[in-house]
């Protein structure tokens, strides 16, 4: 398998305000190019694009291509399970929405210490393995957002897991909260292949500060910011595939071009990323939000948290741009403002990045609600 995967959490949209308005015509073009260049791995999930990603993949992939020409991964939403019966119901719904008889890869979604309690209570691994025995799943694994110690516990308890999906990127490699390196090393210790998510950290590593761009362009003037990030994790020996949430045909063309005949980074190039570039990004003091939107669904004030954080970051980069204020006012008409936060903590409990969301909302309010 070539190491680039098509992540279906950030598909092209017809209307940027509506996550359900997937641009299926452009998605078809992207899919065609992806397959033409020899890539096969597509990754969706029950909740992506407000529950429309699985249905869309049926239209732009499943009904258009031979089943043996691609591999499809989806995920059991552990965070939404209440009873054992929920697993069968959701799994059948997913197969119907995607239009497939089986999933090549099926994951328990976003495991952490809290969600693992649900997994044990309901027997989620046992359910997934039963689906494998029935021929409805080929490979069972899980995606993960927690410490290396929790990962070690899960892999020790469940050696039947064939792979693990981890957030790996050079910015989080030594981060004390995300623990990218430690989690990767834990997976290697257990002999598990790794699927990489968030290699460009929700776009953060696709648009670097000018000083960081200058450093990298000095080494390879023709490489994009995003290509450095994807190359970094694809260079790891135990990585099976790197998911990129490509949002337009241009991103697909860029990523698939250099990954078609992939060459790993040198040690010197890795050290530049982990040293100079990481230091520059930290100094820029941006909010490291990946826009996964897990924080939004349960917000009692309906605050568009990822959108406000993106605006805050844009203001840091381009201070005083009047478009930022206009965008803020448009958001505030449809959603709660950052200053409306009641500090309930739901968002921080849901955040895979373990961000101090409440404090960052206060900073956003200071900038835009003066």
């Amino acid at each position: 398998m070539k190491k680039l995967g098509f992540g279906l959490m950030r598909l092209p949209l017809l209307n940027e305000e509506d996550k359900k308005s997937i641009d299926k015509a452009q998605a078809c073009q992207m899919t065609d190019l992806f397959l033409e260049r020899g890539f096969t791995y597509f990754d969706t999930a029950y909740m992506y694009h407000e529950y429309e990603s699985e249905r869309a993949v049926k239209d732009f992939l499943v009904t258009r291509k031979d089943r043996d020409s691609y591999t499809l991964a989806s995920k059991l939403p552990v965070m939404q399970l209440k009873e054992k019966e929920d697993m069968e119901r959701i799994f059948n719904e997913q197969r119907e929405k995607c239009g497939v008889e089986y999933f090549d890869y099926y994951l328990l979604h976003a495991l952490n210490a809290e969600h693992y309690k649900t997994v044990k209570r309901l027997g989620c691994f046992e359910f997934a393995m039963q689906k494998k025995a029935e021929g409805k799943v080929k490979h069972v694994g899980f995606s993960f957002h927690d410490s290396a110690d929790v990962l070690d516990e899960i892999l020790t308890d469940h050696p039947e897991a064939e792979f693990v999906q981890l957030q790996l990127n050079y910015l989080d490699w030594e981060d004390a909260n995300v623990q990218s390196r430690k989690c990767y090393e834990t997976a290697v210790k257990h002999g598990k292949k790794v699927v990489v998510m968030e290699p460009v950290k929700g776009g953060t590593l696709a648009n670097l500060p000018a000083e960081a761009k200058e450093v990298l362009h000095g080494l390879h003037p023709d490489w994009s910011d995003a290509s450095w990030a994807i190359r970094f994790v694809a260079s790891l020996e135990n990585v099976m595939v790197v998911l990129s949430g490509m949002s337009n045909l241009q991103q697909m063309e860029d990523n698939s071009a250099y990954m078609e005949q992939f060459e790993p980074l040198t040690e010197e190039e890795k050290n530049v990323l982990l040293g100079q570039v990481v230091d520059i990004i930290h100094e820029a003091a941006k909010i490291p939000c990946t826009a996964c939107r897990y924080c939004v669904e349960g917000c009692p004030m309906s605050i568009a948290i990822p959108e406000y954080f993106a605006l805050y970051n844009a203001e840091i980069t381009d201070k005083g741009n009047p478009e930022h204020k206009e965008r803020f006012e448009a958001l505030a008409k449809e959603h709660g403002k950052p200053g409306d936060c009641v500090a309930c903590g739901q968002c921080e409990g849901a955040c895979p990045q373990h961000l101090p969301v409440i404090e960052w909302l206060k900073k956003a309010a200071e900038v835009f609600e003066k």
Side-chain angles (χ1 to χ4, degrees):
M1 183 189 298
K2 290 189 175 182
K3 278 195 170 183
L4 180 66
F6 192 175
L8 307 181
M9 187 170 77
R10 299 183 179 92
L11 289 166
L13 298 174
L14 297 171
N15 175 6
E16 292 299 323
E17 304 297 321
D18 181 5
K19 301 303 178 184
K20 293 184 178 182
S21 66
I22 297 167
D23 184 347
K24 294 178 184 176
Q26 188 173 180
C28 285
Q29 292 179 296
M30 296 167 71
T31 296
D32 291 346
L33 180 59
F34 187 72
L35 293 171
E36 285 168 12
R37 291 184 170 174
F39 305 100
T40 60
Y41 194 101
F42 293 79
D43 173 87
T44 186
Y46 189 63
M47 301 182 299
Y48 291 173
H49 281 278
E50 298 181 9
Y51 302 90
E52 286 300 311
S53 178
E54 290 176 321
R55 188 172 283 112
V57 79
K58 178 180 180 179
D59 294 335
F60 65 74
L61 174 65
V62 174
T63 60
R64 299 175 61 246
K65 305 295 179 180
D66 292 337
R67 184 63 183 91
D68 60 359
S69 69
Y70 62 87
T71 53
L72 181 62
S74 195
K75 308 177 185 75
L76 181 69
V78 174
M79 66 291 291
Q80 296 188 3
L81 302 178
K82 303 297 182 186
E83 302 173 350
K84 283 190 174 184
E85 291 73 20
D86 292 337
M87 294 187 285
E88 186 73 32
R89 172 180 57 80
I90 290 173
F91 182 79
N92 290 335
E93 180 185 344
Q94 290 178 295
R95 284 200 303 147
E96 181 181 356
K97 286 167 72 175
C98 291
V100 296
E101 291 297 317
Y102 65 90
F103 292 108
D104 299 276
Y105 297 88
Y106 197 64
L107 300 83
L108 309 187
H109 197 176
L111 297 197
N112 55 25
E114 190 62 30
H115 293 159
Y116 188 42
K117 295 176 184 178
T118 301
V119 168
K120 290 187 286 187
R121 178 172 62 86
L122 298 181
C124 297
F125 273 106
E126 291 78 4
F127 171 82
M129 293 304 294
Q130 178 60 39
K131 293 304 166 189
K132 182 178 178 180
E134 294 171 5
K136 297 174 182 177
V137 168
K138 289 191 173 182
H139 302 283
V140 172
F142 61 94
S143 62
F144 181 79
H145 292 284
D146 211 318
S147 70
D149 288 342
V150 175
L151 179 59
D152 187 60
E153 177 188 356
I154 296 174
L155 289 175
T156 300
D157 291 348
H158 294 283
E160 69 272 24
E162 298 169 74
F163 66 100
V164 59
Q165 185 165 309
L166 299 175
Q167 177 171 317
L168 302 182
N169 58 69
Y170 66 82
L171 186 61
D172 291 328
W173 193 242
E174 298 295 350
D175 184 271
N177 290 320
V178 181
Q179 297 186 4
S180 276
R181 177 182 59 79
K182 291 182 179 179
C183 286
Y184 172 75
E185 291 173 351
T186 300
V188 171
K189 182 183 78 170
H190 285 270
K192 307 302 180 185
K193 286 295 185 181
V194 173
V195 174
V196 175
M197 58 182 162
E198 300 295 354
V200 295
K201 202 166 172 67
T204 298
L205 303 182
N207 186 20
L208 297 173
E211 188 179 349
K213 288 178 184 289
E214 185 177 346
V215 170
L216 296 181
H217 286 182
L219 295 173
H220 293 283
D222 56 336
W223 287 12
S224 66
D225 294 352
S227 76
W228 277 96
I230 291 175
R231 282 179 166 105
F232 175 81
V233 288
S235 298
L236 298 169
E237 184 178 356
N238 270 53
V239 165
M240 179 175 76
V241 65
V242 179
L243 301 177
S244 177
M246 295 169 277
S247 301
N248 55 56
L249 185 58
Q250 182 181 4
Q251 292 175 4
M252 176 64 76
E253 288 173 340
D254 178 39
N255 287 342
S256 61
Y258 65 80
M259 288 297 290
E260 192 172 9
Q261 301 295 331
F262 171 69
E263 294 184 9
L265 293 181
T266 66
E267 288 304 311
E268 179 186 0
E269 290 165 343
K270 293 177 187 177
N271 289 336
V272 168
L273 290 175
L274 294 172
Q276 288 175 270
V277 174
V278 167
D279 288 345
I280 292 168
I281 296 171
H282 284 158
E283 288 174 6
K286 291 186 177 182
I287 305 173
C289 171
T290 65
C292 68
R293 305 189 64 79
Y294 294 170
C295 59
V296 174
E297 191 166 335
C299 177
M301 304 307 292
S302 299
I303 301 171
I305 298 170
E307 287 82 358
Y308 287 128
F309 284 178
L311 269 180
Y312 179 90
N313 288 343
E315 180 68 10
I316 293 295
T317 303
D318 186 15
K319 192 172 180 62
N321 187 326
E323 292 183 3
H324 301 160
K325 185 65 173 177
E326 292 174 9
R327 172 71 176 139
F328 174 83
E329 291 173 351
L331 280 170
K333 289 180 180 178
E334 302 293 331
H335 306 277
K337 298 178 182 178
D340 295 336
C341 174
V342 295
C344 68
Q346 182 278 334
C347 52
E348 294 187 355
C351 178
Q353 312 305 317
H354 310 289
L355 297 180
V357 178
I358 296 168
E359 290 304 312
W360 282 117
L361 284 173
K362 290 178 182 177
K363 292 180 184 294
E366 290 172 4
V367 171
F368 293 107
E369 297 183 52
K370 291 180 181 177

